[in-house]
Amino acid sequence: MIKVQGLSKIYGENIAVDDISFEVKEGHIYGFLGPNGAGKSTTMNIITGYISPTYGTVEVNGYLMGKDTLKAKKSIGYLPEIPPLYPDMNVKEYLTFVARIKGVPGSEREAEINRVMEATAIKDMAKRLIKHLSKGYKQRVGIAQAILGNPEIIILDEPTVGLDPEQIIEVRTLIKSLKGEHTVILSSHILSEISATCDEVLVIANGRMVACDTTDNLLKNHKSVKTIKLNVKGDKDKTEEVLNSIEALEEVKFIENKGESNVFEVSCDPVKDLREDISFALSDARLLILEMNEETSSLEDIYLTLVKEADEQYAAEMKAISEGADLDEVFADKDDDPEDEKTESAEDSKEENESEEDSKEDSKEEE
Ligand code: ADP
Ligand code: MG
């Protein structure tokens, strides 16, 4: 359906997207997750043919973006970060305009506009000027223009940003309702946003894809740790000594003294249950456990770790480069020569893009 290979986008000295490859299969909801500035919007702008990559290719249903751009674009509906809305048009006029651009035949236009207005619950606003709509309604109009023409693939860049909690739930429900009939890619810098709607998560940090998996697999495959918080009555040093003697405990950390008792945090492998070992060892030493709580690292922890690791790797590479290290050594695990990947199609798409759709130009300038 969508095949992205070796995508990079370089702005001057800034690598916005760094060698990203992935495939998108039919009927799923994919989530691009990453901090601000990670490269999500840039990647989406390239996939939708909005901007051209520096290196790499995007294939949509067998059509190469940049070569068969119009055919590739035909199956994609896109809501960019800044929706391309015209404030002085009313909602219906605007959607009619979009339907024309998308080539919806005149005889089907009315029905199609009604369909998308119903799907996004904006029928009551049909005659209202876009500039007089609330942020939530504007976002819905943005989504309506993306799904107009019933494209197979719908790409939504931060669709819930700036909405209130009630509107967020409405937009989430709308996105979920697209599943099955459509393939959806959406982006967010908030994990809960992605885990609430997506089947697959692509974690992006510093322009690189650092994970691509289902949320379940992310939890399963990434080393998580279990922490156990203990409040133990008795001598601090003795408690610490006993805890340290339990071999399977990876780390023993003193947190605070609570008068007669002391709070410790210990960590271990999440598959082990060490509560018995801990309680027997402490009671043998006549130390009384007042409280014991365990926690396993969450998806949020894994996400934060992935981003932190990516940041550290990036910083280490930049440091090595600034100290004059051999580039081949720094990027030993990367493709030999990215110049080879520079395809003609990337060049072509640059030209095509420049002459395309004014509406998109507007929003690009705002960015
Ligand atoms: P995200 O959507 O994940 O927040 P972006 O894709 O918008 O991230 O940006 C990725 C990086 O590329 C950022 O460092 C941003 O400043 C940079 N960038 C994006 N667009 C441009 C541009 N047109 N010119 C120069 N730098 C850009
Ligand atoms: Mg963005």
Side-chain angles (χ1 to χ4, degrees):
M1 173 145 260
I2 302 184
K3 203 168 163 186
V4 168
Q5 267 176 321
L7 218 59
S8 294
K9 181 73 183 180
I10 300 171
Y11 289 112
E13 296 207 329
N14 185 8
I15 305 176
V17 175
D18 189 357
D19 197 17
I20 285 185
S21 302
F22 61 88
E23 272 184 51
V24 164
K25 294 194 185 67
E26 220 171 304
H28 290 259
I29 303 187
Y30 290 80
F32 280 7
L33 174 66
N36 284 324
K40 304 180 295 295
S41 298
T42 308
T43 307
M44 288 182 148
N45 284 339
I46 297 172
I47 298 176
T48 51
Y50 194 147
I51 59 173
S52 56
T54 310
Y55 306 119
T57 54
V58 176
E59 215 181 289
V60 182
N61 286 332
Y63 295 116
L64 206 56
M65 200 60 85
K67 189 158 173 261
D68 290 314
T69 306
L70 288 179
K71 282 179 185 152
K73 273 185 161 183
K74 195 136 186 80
S75 39
I76 298 181
Y78 184 33
L79 172 72
E81 201 160 28
I82 297 148
L85 302 177
Y86 288 102
D88 290 321
M89 284 185 180
N90 74 31
V91 171
K92 189 150 185 205
E93 283 164 355
Y94 170 67
L95 292 174
T96 309
F97 164 75
V98 174
R100 283 219 178 99
I101 288 185
K102 289 197 178 188
V104 177
S107 58
E108 294 166 25
R109 237 173 254 160
E110 183 78 16
E112 179 57 6
I113 290 166
N114 281 328
R115 182 188 75 83
V116 299
M117 286 204 295
E118 218 149 85
T120 50
I122 53 173
K123 265 200 140 154
D124 294 347
M125 302 289 157
K127 293 274 161 59
R128 186 153 314 174
L129 288 182
I130 288 173
K131 67 180 171 196
H132 293 150
L133 293 177
S134 67
K135 168 94 184 150
Y137 271 103
K138 276 192 189 127
Q139 197 70 346
R140 288 193 217 183
V141 176
I143 297 175
Q145 66 78 30
I147 64 176
L148 199 143
N150 215 16
E152 287 168 77
I153 305 159
I154 292 162
I155 300 185
L156 309 168
D157 195 356
E158 305 250 8
T160 56
V161 81
L163 303 187
D164 67 37
E166 207 175 312
Q167 294 164 338
I168 289 178
I169 292 170
E170 283 168 11
V171 170
R172 276 186 193 167
T173 311
L174 169 63
I175 292 169
K176 281 187 191 159
S177 75
L178 299 170
K179 191 184 162 172
E181 212 168 308
H182 301 273
T183 304
V184 183
I185 306 179
L186 60 97
S187 72
S188 176
H189 58 284
I190 300 161
L191 172 84
S192 59
E193 202 46 60
I194 297 290
S195 56
T197 26
C198 302
D199 311 302
E200 304 252 351
V201 190
L202 293 88
V203 182
I204 301 179
N206 292 315
R208 294 177 190 167
M209 200 168 71
V210 293
C212 173
D213 219 327
T214 60
T215 48
D216 287 350
N217 279 343
L218 277 179
L219 277 171
K220 229 187 299 168
N221 298 339
H222 284 82
K223 184 175 159 48
S224 56
V225 283
K226 184 152 74 181
T227 54
I228 303 174
K229 212 170 184 182
L230 293 157
N231 186 6
V232 183
K233 191 177 165 191
D235 182 62
K236 175 190 168 253
D237 293 340
K238 195 170 171 196
T239 311
E240 193 155 12
E241 193 187 313
V242 173
L243 290 173
N244 275 319
S245 72
I246 304 170
E247 249 176 50
L249 285 185
E250 285 167 11
E251 203 188 347
V252 176
K253 207 162 76 190
F254 170 69
I255 304 291
E256 61 171 335
N257 174 268
K258 282 192 164 183
E260 279 200 314
S261 66
N262 296 288
V263 179
F264 284 87
E265 203 174 79
V266 299
S267 56
C268 62
D269 195 306
V271 294
K272 290 184 187 148
D273 188 355
L274 294 177
R275 283 173 302 180
E276 259 184 31
D277 291 6
I278 294 170
S279 55
F280 286 140
L282 289 170
S283 69
D284 283 350
R286 301 200 60 77
L287 294 161
L288 179 67
I289 298 175
L290 299 177
E291 277 172 88
M292 174 148 68
N293 297 306
E294 67 170 20
E295 257 178 41
T296 311
S297 53
S298 61
L299 200 56
E300 187 81 42
D301 299 327
I302 293 168
Y303 166 55
L304 293 174
T305 309
L306 285 168
V307 171
K308 190 165 154 253
E309 283 170 2
D311 277 347
E312 285 167 1
Q313 193 191 345
Y314 184 77
E317 284 170 9
M318 288 306 124
K319 185 165 176 277
I321 291 169
S322 71
E323 286 167 358
D326 182 358
L327 288 187
D328 285 345
E329 266 172 41
V330 176
F331 298 109
D333 61 330
K334 309 208 107 214
D335 286 336
D336 291 332
D337 188 359
E339 277 299 323
D340 292 342
E341 283 177 30
K342 183 156 186 169
T343 56
E344 275 181 34
S345 60
E347 289 289 4
D348 289 346
S349 82
K350 223 174 276 170
E351 285 161 22
E352 266 187 59
N353 273 301
E354 268 152 24
S355 61
E356 243 161 353
E357 292 168 49
D358 291 339
S359 60
K360 294 190 168 171
E361 281 299 324
D362 287 346
S363 70
K364 209 188 297 177
E365 275 161 20
E366 284 176 55
E367 269 173 32

